[in-house]
Amino acid sequence: MLLTIGMMVKNEEKHLKECLEALTPIRNELDTELVIIDTGSDDKTFEIAKKFTDKVYFHEWNDNFSEMRNTVISYAKGDWYFSLDGDEIINNPETIINFFKSGKHKKYNAGLVTQKNYTNLEENRFSKILVPRIFKNDEEFHFEGAVHNQPQYKKPIIALDTILDHYGYVTSDPELMERKFQRTSNILKDELEKDPENIYYWFQLSKSYNMHKDQEDGLEAIETAYEVAQKNNIDLRKRIYIYIQLSKMYLVNNRYKMSEKIAKEALSVKDGYVDLYYYMARAQLMQGKKEKALVNFKEYINLINNYDQTNSKIDTAVDDETMGNYNIAYRFIVALAADLEIETDYAINSAFKIDIDSQLQYAIHPFI
């Protein structure tokens, strides 16, 4: 068998049917199997899954994501393994079909796909990150880490054009967000008791607090990550995500000078990150540094327009959270240009690129 599509699910009835239907072209064109492990659903997840495959199994949840994912792998018979979640929908399945049918898979041991994480559907807010999801199912392939688990695999790896639309963090669903926060934050706290200098777990705890609107706790967690990294001489050039989260948390806690400082520090270490320019521009705007804010909003837009060539796209550890904020950036560009009475042509062109009515109304006001 060529490919196992493996999934670990719990209470995924909202998106599971669409998720599994989107796999139909892959399953029709390639020699595949679909293996699903349910870890304790009390909705219609199990029934939906059974309509698509007879390889649905139950394993009780044990607060360890990697152990559950490795259990799914233990059922896999495919030479390759595609890891998918029940709230993800493959946007362009032909990219995976072509990867195998072209024979390109024979040159690689793993494949990266783009995960498009929606946070607000009404405002088209999303982030993007390259994630490894397709693996040669050899003796070395497995997952590690109790939460935010990391796949272990051999190189070389190829970046595919595959896009996974992910709906697991849509903030307009408060019940879902609360459930995920309690689950994830509790596991992270347990892991940090065992390993208090794990900066990745401090970073993830900060993100969890931020999504839960516990902003002071989120800042404290990422400050701890940064301080531990400094104390232990950890090279943050390979962990730019620490800088990005720290700049963001200073921003949301109204500490604009520190947000700007950290963004500048990060960009001096490694340039080309979408979020850093956006957070720096917002921080400068709040400090009244209008000219600098305009310059950095424009650079943010430039990086968005040339995303495939940026460090943001290449860095698989960075989830570019501000990818969907271009409408807001255009709005500020228009307002700043009008206020400063400079770059009027650029501002007007920017206004025409806004695709959300509420932001457009703000943008065109200075020219009416």
Side-chain angles (χ1 to χ4, degrees):
M1 181 170 293
L2 178 62
L3 178 67
T4 295
I5 303 169
M7 302 177 64
M8 176 188 74
V9 298
K10 182 178 180 180
N11 292 335
E12 298 287 1
E13 68 174 3
K14 185 172 184 178
H15 298 289
L16 185 60
K17 184 174 183 288
E18 188 177 359
C19 166
L20 298 179
E21 287 176 340
L23 295 171
T24 301
I26 297 174
R27 300 181 70 193
N28 286 344
E29 293 289 332
L30 302 176
D31 181 19
T32 68
E33 64 174 354
L34 175 60
V35 175
I36 300 176
I37 283 184
D38 188 291
T39 62
S41 296
D42 54 17
D43 61 3
K44 296 179 180 179
T45 294
F46 194 87
E47 291 83 351
I48 294 170
K50 290 291 287 184
K51 293 179 180 178
F52 290 85
T53 178
D54 58 358
K55 296 180 180 180
V56 183
Y57 309 98
F58 172 77
H59 284 266
E60 188 173 354
W61 175 245
N62 67 348
D63 284 339
N64 191 302
F65 279 86
S66 286
E67 287 185 13
M68 288 290 105
R69 294 200 188 279
N70 291 334
T71 301
V72 184
I73 294 171
S74 71
Y75 286 96
K77 297 178 181 177
D79 296 330
W80 283 75
Y81 186 91
F82 176 26
S83 180
L84 189 67
D85 288 340
D87 52 13
E88 294 175 327
I89 299 166
I90 186 167
N91 186 292
N92 48 352
E94 68 277 3
T95 56
I96 292 178
I97 295 169
N98 293 339
F99 174 61
F100 288 105
K101 282 202 165 185
S102 67
K104 194 174 288 186
H105 67 288
K106 297 176 182 178
K107 301 178 182 179
Y108 298 93
N109 290 314
L112 295 164
V113 305
T114 297
Q115 187 185 53
K116 190 173 182 180
N117 300 296
Y118 286 95
T119 56
N120 188 309
L121 298 177
E122 291 76 18
E123 298 180 8
N124 194 33
R125 300 283 288 275
F126 60 87
S127 65
K128 283 185 178 180
I129 184 171
L130 271 178
V131 290
R133 287 299 187 89
I134 301 175
F135 312 94
K136 186 173 285 186
N137 189 17
D138 57 23
E139 68 283 352
E140 295 187 27
F141 168 55
H142 65 284
F143 287 89
E144 292 182 358
V147 63
H148 297 289
N149 40 272
Q150 303 295 308
Q152 307 300 306
Y153 54 89
K154 292 187 294 189
K155 295 180 179 180
I157 186 168
I158 183 174
L160 303 176
D161 293 329
T162 310
I163 297 174
L164 298 180
D165 292 328
H166 180 220
Y167 298 96
Y169 291 99
V170 176
T171 55
S172 57
D173 187 341
E175 186 176 328
L176 170 67
M177 297 304 294
E178 182 64 26
R179 186 170 69 245
K180 290 200 171 189
F181 170 74
Q182 294 298 336
R183 178 198 66 190
T184 303
S185 63
N186 288 336
I187 297 174
L188 284 167
K189 290 172 186 176
D190 288 344
E191 292 300 309
L192 282 166
E193 282 191 16
K194 305 171 194 173
D195 184 8
E197 296 200 339
N198 188 315
I199 63 171
Y200 180 70
Y201 282 163
W202 280 115
F203 159 74
Q204 290 292 354
L205 184 59
S206 174
K207 287 177 70 72
S208 291
Y209 279 133
N210 174 224
M211 285 188 288
H212 198 245
K213 309 301 181 186
D214 299 328
Q215 309 300 14
E216 291 184 5
D217 291 334
L219 176 57
E220 183 178 347
I222 195 61
E223 282 184 323
T224 300
Y226 182 75
E227 290 163 4
V228 170
Q230 300 283 56
K231 182 183 72 173
N232 295 329
N233 295 316
I234 295 173
D235 185 2
L236 289 181
R237 286 177 297 178
K238 298 179 180 179
R239 297 170 178 83
I240 293 293
Y241 59 85
I242 298 293
Y243 283 122
I244 294 173
Q245 182 67 9
L246 184 55
S247 179
K248 175 185 179 180
M249 294 314 300
Y250 278 132
L251 182 65
V252 299
N253 279 279
N254 304 323
R255 295 178 62 180
Y256 307 120
K257 186 175 181 179
M258 286 301 297
S259 177
E260 179 187 12
K261 177 179 179 292
I262 291 296
K264 286 181 176 178
E265 180 182 331
L267 290 167
S268 71
V269 170
K270 197 173 182 181
D271 205 346
Y273 284 87
V274 170
D275 289 350
L276 288 171
Y277 276 99
Y278 183 83
Y279 296 145
M280 181 162 62
R282 290 294 299 261
Q284 289 168 333
L285 181 62
M286 296 305 295
Q287 295 176 82
K289 299 178 180 180
K290 296 179 181 180
E291 293 89 348
K292 291 182 178 179
L294 178 58
V295 168
N296 287 312
F297 276 127
K298 288 177 61 180
E299 182 57 24
Y300 161 80
I301 292 296
N302 177 55
L303 291 174
I304 292 287
N305 291 337
N306 297 280
Y307 182 65
D308 287 346
Q309 286 75 50
T310 65
N311 281 325
S312 276
K313 172 69 179 288
I314 297 167
D315 194 333
T316 59
V318 170
D319 185 1
D320 297 306
E321 294 186 4
T322 64
M323 286 296 296
N325 290 15
Y326 55 88
N327 286 296
I328 298 172
Y330 279 133
R331 166 195 157 190
F332 282 127
I333 287 170
V334 173
L336 287 166
D339 185 45
L340 297 168
E341 298 182 347
I342 59 175
E343 304 202 44
T344 304
D345 290 343
Y346 184 91
I348 292 173
N349 288 333
S350 296
F352 280 112
K353 294 177 182 178
I354 297 174
D355 55 24
I356 293 180
D357 289 344
S358 60
Q359 298 296 338
L360 180 60
Q361 291 171 11
Y362 282 113
I364 64 175
H365 180 73
F367 297 100
I368 297 176

